Amino acid sequence: PRATTPTSFESPRAPTLRLLPMQSGTTTADIGKQLIRSGLTQFFLGFLLGFVPILHYFHGAVAGDVGPTFLKNMTLWWGCPAVLMEYVLKTGGLGMAAVGLCYTVFAPSTRTEVSGPEQWAPTLCHCGLTFAAVWMAVGYVAFNRIWPNFYFEPVPTGKNMWLGGQLAGIVVYVYGMYVALSGAKALVNVTGKTGHQRG
């Protein structure tokens, strides 16, 4: 009789990739990890952006023309174009991380897939904040070429377009956070009901 060489590929236990589901879907734990990772990234970018106002005012101090009016008027700290987006990135990043922790803590023990809109929540939040920050930086340079000194004059057309682009990114972020918060709230409610039933 003809001998055949046995191969491990014929055994159903050989392929380790079968540990993953055949149709992979985003789970609540995946949403939590993505939100935490993206949130910490945005917070770190906001932290770096926070040095821009400091350099901005160092430049003003070196250039001179710093009188008692400047020292008394603390609202001039908002004069730097980067201040608004600095706070948006820091606050938005911390919010994403907090909601991501809720997904991680209250995730069910079994693998549970999430709905379609909920899968897009981390991407919407991350892209919304990123778009707003990029628009702030690139738009400031580009609009200054079209309307010189549009921010400090101000030139209403240029400043409204510049702020409008940032607002569009923030709106996308807020919608993503709304979807994520709704999912986290549902997880908390399900966990609470399960705990009461066990008790």
Side-chain angles (χ1 to χ4, degrees):
R2 186 176 181 179
T4 58
T5 304
T7 59
S8 58
F9 299 102
E10 296 176 358
S11 173
R13 298 180 181 179
T16 56
L17 291 179
R18 290 190 181 182
L19 295 174
L20 300 176
M22 297 298 294
Q23 295 181 352
S24 60
T26 305
T27 64
T28 53
D30 296 331
I31 295 290
K33 292 177 183 178
Q34 292 175 17
L35 284 171
I36 294 173
R37 186 183 301 113
S38 298
L40 293 178
T41 300
Q42 295 294 344
F43 179 82
F44 181 71
L45 292 177
F47 173 78
L48 294 179
L49 195 61
F51 289 96
V52 175
I54 299 175
L55 297 175
H56 174 79
Y57 289 108
F58 269 128
H59 173 73
V62 172
D65 195 20
V66 178
T69 303
F70 177 86
L71 298 176
K72 291 179 181 179
N73 190 1
M74 294 302 297
T75 59
L76 289 176
W77 281 99
W78 288 87
C80 180
V83 171
L84 173 63
M85 194 48 54
E86 173 198 351
Y87 286 108
V88 169
L89 290 178
K90 288 180 177 178
T91 306
L94 288 178
M96 293 173 64
V99 176
L101 285 175
C102 291
Y103 270 93
T104 304
V105 172
F106 296 103
S109 56
T110 57
R111 184 180 178 87
T112 305
E113 296 185 5
V114 296
S115 61
E118 204 171 348
Q119 295 180 11
W120 283 93
T123 302
L124 290 173
C125 293
H126 184 71
C127 290
L129 291 180
T130 302
F131 174 82
V134 171
W135 182 275
M136 179 275 298
V138 177
Y140 182 78
V141 175
F143 292 161
N144 258 324
R145 294 182 176 275
I146 302 173
W147 301 285
N149 206 26
F150 79 96
Y151 182 82
F152 294 99
E153 284 291 338
V155 178
T157 303
K159 195 166 186 178
N160 289 338
M161 290 180 62
W162 182 71
L163 291 173
Q166 296 178 64
L167 179 61
I170 294 172
V171 168
V172 173
Y173 164 80
V174 170
Y175 176 73
M177 278 296 290
Y178 169 77
V179 176
L181 281 171
S182 301
K185 183 179 179 181
L187 280 177
V188 173
N189 292 336
V190 170
T191 304
K193 291 180 180 179
T194 306
H196 284 303
Q197 291 176 358
R198 291 178 179 178

